[in-house]
Amino acid sequence: MKFFALKRALRDLKNNMVLHSVTVIIIALSVLIVGTFTLFSSNAARVIRTWEKGVRLIVYIADGVPTADIDTLKNDISRMEGVTEVHFIDKQAALARLTERMKWQASLLESLDHNPLPDALEVWIDPARKKWETIEMLAIHIQSSHLVADVEYGQSWLKRFTGVLNLFRFSGVMMAMVFFLAAVFIVANTIRLVFYSRHEEFRIMRLVGATDRFIKAPFYLEGLIQGAVGAVLGIAVLYAVFTALTTSIDLDAVVNTFSIEFIPVKTLFIILLCSMFAGWLGCYISLRQFLKE
């Protein structure tokens, strides 16, 4: 029976290729859009995790501070609770680092007539003490010194980034639900049209003893196949676009603290299963209107 149902499902897909192709394309577009949200969300989350693994403060030294005072400040900071390392970065080294990171826009730095960057201390924090309150108190304490011009620790941008990411995730979940329901609706209507076109055939099959399960099986397989093909097609298009962008853009020049990665295999598998379930559910909703469970 299983092979008969599969053979019948493939034949129906072939005989109604245009109708089923439209359904597959719609499912693929849904997967493509949801996958795009997932791709951005997963990489954005990795940005936050990367930052949290190496929490640091940049302490900018005021102009004209003697080297001896800078050494004293460095020693004082290194003895503070929660501080693991302190590195001095002179303004020339800072400019060289900036030039290396902005090598694709080197002309902007070459036009400078002097080095605008101050000397700085790079303060690394124990990851176990990476709570915002602890970092903020430490930053305020360091900035209270008359030797310090400013302390930068990324609080404002990371809070905004986290807020945007949470909003983006919520929007992605809502959009995924909408597209899931849309896929179910499209599959249900496709199966309904196919069923109507073969209604007399099914009536005769029931008269000669065919069970409802025997009649339904090919349709359920059609829904699963449509969902699977649509998911694979959508993921393939997304991967092709992702590969084209990552190979054409010098990401090392743009992002040098972490690598951009495609959606994890586990997440792709979940997307595939959800797409197949949407196809099956569409068939179930459509068929229950015509056949008794």
Side-chain angles (χ1 to χ4, degrees):
M1 176 181 173
K2 293 181 180 179
F3 291 104
F4 173 80
L6 179 60
K7 183 178 179 180
R8 189 64 174 271
L10 294 175
R11 190 183 71 178
D12 287 345
L13 290 172
K14 181 179 179 180
N15 293 338
N16 300 276
M17 185 174 296
V18 175
L19 190 61
H20 289 298
S21 296
V22 173
T23 303
V24 169
I25 291 174
I26 292 175
I27 294 176
L29 289 174
S30 302
V31 171
L32 178 61
I33 295 174
V34 173
T36 302
F37 272 79
T38 305
L39 179 62
F40 175 84
S41 179
S42 61
N43 281 283
R46 289 181 61 249
V47 172
I48 296 177
R49 289 196 299 270
T50 300
W51 188 91
E52 289 180 342
K53 288 180 180 178
V55 181
R56 65 174 182 170
L57 285 74
I58 302 298
V59 180
Y60 297 107
I61 308 300
D63 292 335
V65 176
T67 303
D69 291 342
I70 295 177
D71 291 337
T72 301
L73 177 64
K74 178 182 176 182
N75 293 331
D76 291 341
I77 294 176
S78 63
R79 289 193 294 268
M80 292 181 180
E81 186 177 2
V83 175
T84 57
E85 296 179 53
V86 181
H87 302 290
F88 174 69
I89 305 174
D90 65 72
K91 58 176 63 180
Q92 297 302 327
L95 182 60
R97 181 185 296 184
L98 181 62
T99 302
E100 176 63 24
R101 292 182 177 180
M102 297 182 62
K103 56 186 177 182
W104 73 99
Q105 293 180 334
S107 59
L108 296 178
L109 299 177
E110 291 174 356
S111 61
L112 297 175
D113 55 0
H114 69 284
N115 186 351
L117 301 179
D119 293 329
L121 294 175
E122 190 177 51
V123 182
W124 291 90
I125 310 299
D126 184 357
R129 304 176 61 85
K130 62 185 179 184
K131 292 184 178 180
W132 279 121
E133 295 78 8
T134 304
I135 298 174
E136 189 172 17
M137 290 179 60
L138 181 61
I140 293 174
H141 182 56
I142 294 175
Q143 195 165 4
S144 63
S145 172
H146 68 282
L147 304 176
V148 177
D150 193 15
V151 178
E152 173 64 40
Y153 55 103
Q155 180 189 33
S156 57
W157 77 263
L158 192 60
K159 281 187 175 181
R160 289 196 297 268
F161 188 80
T162 303
V164 171
L165 177 59
N166 291 334
L167 178 61
F168 195 85
R169 283 174 171 171
F170 177 77
S171 301
V173 171
M174 293 296 102
M175 187 168 290
M177 293 177 62
V178 170
F179 281 115
F180 178 84
L181 294 176
V184 171
F185 177 79
I186 294 298
V187 172
N189 280 278
T190 301
I191 297 300
R192 184 178 293 112
L193 291 174
V194 174
F195 189 90
Y196 273 132
S197 66
R198 298 172 54 195
H199 186 268
E200 286 299 318
E201 177 185 346
F202 296 140
R203 188 176 66 84
I204 295 173
M205 290 175 64
R206 297 186 73 177
L207 289 176
V208 298
T211 62
D212 289 348
R213 181 180 178 183
F214 181 83
I215 297 174
K216 290 178 181 180
F219 288 102
Y220 286 141
L221 287 176
E222 287 180 34
L224 292 173
I225 293 173
Q226 288 176 356
V229 174
V232 172
L233 181 60
I235 292 171
V237 172
L238 180 61
Y239 182 75
V241 174
F242 172 81
T243 303
L245 290 177
T246 53
T247 54
S248 61
I249 299 176
D250 186 7
L251 291 178
D252 290 335
V254 179
V255 182
N256 56 13
T257 56
F258 70 99
S259 59
I260 304 296
E261 296 181 357
F262 195 62
I263 302 173
V265 176
K266 181 179 179 180
T267 305
L268 292 176
F269 186 68
I270 293 175
I271 292 175
L272 175 63
L273 290 180
C274 290
S275 181
M276 293 176 66
F277 177 70
W280 179 90
L281 184 60
C283 291
Y284 175 80
I285 293 174
S286 182
L287 292 178
R288 68 179 301 181
Q289 300 179 13
F290 304 101
L291 301 173
K292 293 181 179 180
E293 291 296 318

